[in-house]
C-alpha cells in the first residue's frame, strides 16, 4: 500500500492519549461511541492505530486557520 500521509492534501492524523481523550469527551459531553467513525483500513491513519483508538485530525481551514476533528477507529 502507498503511504499517503506525506501528501500535502492529507491532514495530520494523530492518536489521542487517554487523558486527552477524557478531556475532549467531557468538554463535548459525549461518549467515545458518539464520535464520527473512520475505518481501520483508511490509508491516512497512523500505522499503529487500532480499533477503538480515537484519532485527532487537524485540517487547514480558510475561516479558522485550523479545524480539529476527532474520529473513532472502527473495523
Amino acid at each position: 500500500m502507498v503511504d499517503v500521509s506525506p501528501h500535502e492534501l492529507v491532514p495530520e492524523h494523530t492518536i489521542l492519549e487517554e487523558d486527552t481523550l477524557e478531556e475532549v469527551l467531557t468538554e463535548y459531553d459525549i461518549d467515545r461511541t458518539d464520535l464520527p467513525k473512520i475505518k481501520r483500513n483508511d490509508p491516512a491513519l497512523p500505522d499503529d492505530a487500532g480499533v477503538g483508538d480515537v484519532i485527532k485530525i487537524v485540517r487547514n481551514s480558510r475561516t479558522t486557520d485550523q479545524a480539529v476533528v476527532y474520529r473513532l477507529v472502527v473495523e
Side-chain angles (χ1 to χ4, degrees), residues 34-62:
D34 294 331
L35 291 167
K37 314 298 187 271
I38 187 169
K39 292 233 179 200
R40 171 59 199 111
N41 60 0
D42 189 301
L45 282 178
D47 291 334
D48 53 343
V51 174
D53 287 339
V54 174
I55 306 298
K56 177 181 179 181
I57 303 171
V58 180
R59 297 183 178 130
N60 291 330
S61 171
R62 286 187 260 173

Side-chain angles (χ1 to χ4, degrees), residues 5-31:
S5 59
H7 194 280
E8 66 184 53
L9 296 178
V10 175
E12 175 188 347
H13 288 63
T14 54
I15 300 172
L16 225 55
E17 297 292 330
E18 279 299 317
D19 55 338
T20 308
L21 172 59
E22 289 305 318
E23 292 174 12
V24 170
L25 296 177
T26 301
E27 178 182 349
Y28 292 107
D29 192 27
I30 59 173
D31 293 324

